[in-house]
Amino acid sequence: MHEQLANYIKEQIKVSEEELTTILSYFTPLKAKKNELLLTQGQTSQRSYFVGKGCLRIYFITEDGQDATRYFAFENMFATALMSFITAEPSEEFIQAVEATEMFYISHRDFYHLLDIIPQWEKFYRSYLEGAYVNNTRRLMSFITLEAVERYRQLLDQNPVIVKRLPNKMVASYLNISQETLSRLKSRV
């Protein structure tokens, strides 16, 4: 799995073998059981995770006590409660292993240390932030401009793995619809 992380980093930025070895030395392997929480509301996000196998879900609890899923990270994706990671403030979000998950993590301190010692790591971080911004903005716009059926079709087109691998409850939470509405949409689409 170390090679998987190395390949991902090399796809994002150009680094020497020495720099890559240094970067990888700051990542620690971790396994999480299905449904295990890696971060709970009120904790400060101190880790960024790279998923080698499995799936992480980032979600929060709405005022009426419902799960609202913001993000899923599958293989070859990074995940963290980004707002808390950046601000060092307590997180409003939870990070949960949806499946048994094998991953690497890097601590907040080490992540920012790499920014100081490896210039290309800043490009990696910028790319990560830009991707997160685009993803979050597209999701927000879809909630405002698209009907539920259109959001579901868009999800099937852009990220079908969510529908294929995850329970209806989580898919509905991600689409901001009820499970009943999702069931009706699945029968129509």
Side-chain angles (χ1 to χ4, degrees), residues 66-103:
Q66 299 297 311
D67 288 9
T69 301
R70 180 177 66 78
Y71 183 70
F72 291 109
F74 294 96
E75 290 79 8
N76 296 314
M77 296 172 76
F78 270 86
T80 190
L82 194 55
M83 198 160 62
S84 176
F85 190 80
I86 291 170
T87 65
E89 295 174 357
S91 178
E92 295 293 322
E93 298 178 311
F94 296 78
I95 301 177
Q96 175 189 36
V98 175
E99 304 168 345
T101 303
E102 297 175 16
M103 66 201 108

Side-chain angles (χ1 to χ4, degrees), residues 34-47:
K34 182 178 179 177
N35 295 325
E36 183 177 340
L37 289 173
L38 303 173
L39 180 75
T40 60
Q41 184 180 26
Q43 294 177 321
T44 302
S45 180
Q46 293 294 316
R47 294 177 174 176

Side-chain angles (χ1 to χ4, degrees), residues 6-20:
N7 288 337
Y8 179 85
I9 291 169
K10 288 190 291 188
E11 287 172 10
Q12 307 303 312
I13 57 175
K14 291 189 185 326
V15 287
S16 69
E17 284 303 313
E18 183 181 327
E19 289 170 325
L20 183 60

Side-chain angles (χ1 to χ4, degrees), residues 2 14 18 23 28 45 77 92 99 111 121 142 173:
H2 230 112
K14 291 189 185 326
E18 183 181 327
I23 291 168
T28 304
S45 180
M77 296 172 76
E92 295 293 322
E99 304 168 345
F111 191 96
W121 191 249
S142 77
S173 167

Side-chain angles (χ1 to χ4, degrees), residues 14-166:
K14 291 189 185 326
V15 287
S16 69
E17 284 303 313
E18 183 181 327
E19 289 170 325
L20 183 60
T21 300
T22 299
I23 291 168
L24 294 174
S25 74
Y26 287 97
F27 282 85
T28 304
L30 179 67
K31 291 183 179 182
K33 296 176 184 148
K34 182 178 179 177
N35 295 325
E36 183 177 340
L37 289 173
L38 303 173
L39 180 75
T40 60
Q41 184 180 26
Q43 294 177 321
T44 302
S45 180
Q46 293 294 316
R47 294 177 174 176
S48 184
Y49 301 95
F50 174 80
V51 178
K53 181 180 178 190
C55 177
L56 297 179
R57 172 173 84 123
I58 299 176
Y59 70 99
F60 56 94
I61 306 296
T62 64
E63 238 178 56
D64 61 353
Q66 299 297 311
D67 288 9
T69 301
R70 180 177 66 78
Y71 183 70
F72 291 109
F74 294 96
E75 290 79 8
N76 296 314
M77 296 172 76
F78 270 86
T80 190
L82 194 55
M83 198 160 62
S84 176
F85 190 80
I86 291 170
T87 65
E89 295 174 357
S91 178
E92 295 293 322
E93 298 178 311
F94 296 78
I95 301 177
Q96 175 189 36
V98 175
E99 304 168 345
T101 303
E102 297 175 16
M103 66 201 108
F104 284 99
Y105 73 85
I106 184 169
S107 71
H108 179 274
R109 187 189 77 224
D110 290 344
F111 191 96
Y112 279 87
H113 178 66
L114 285 176
L115 290 172
D116 291 334
I117 64 170
I118 298 185
Q120 282 295 91
W121 191 249
E122 194 162 323
K123 184 176 181 184
F124 179 90
Y125 189 36
R126 185 177 72 235
S127 173
Y128 177 75
L129 290 174
E130 288 172 352
Y133 177 80
V134 168
N135 183 55
N136 288 334
T137 301
R138 282 187 178 143
R139 283 192 30 83
L140 176 61
M141 288 173 64
S142 77
F143 291 142
I144 295 169
T145 63
L146 300 178
E147 297 294 324
V149 67
E150 294 167 309
R151 290 198 307 273
Y152 181 64
R153 282 190 181 119
Q154 187 178 65
L155 181 62
L156 288 174
D157 288 343
Q158 296 175 357
N159 211 341
V161 68
I162 291 174
V163 177
K164 290 178 184 168
R165 278 180 53 181
L166 302 177

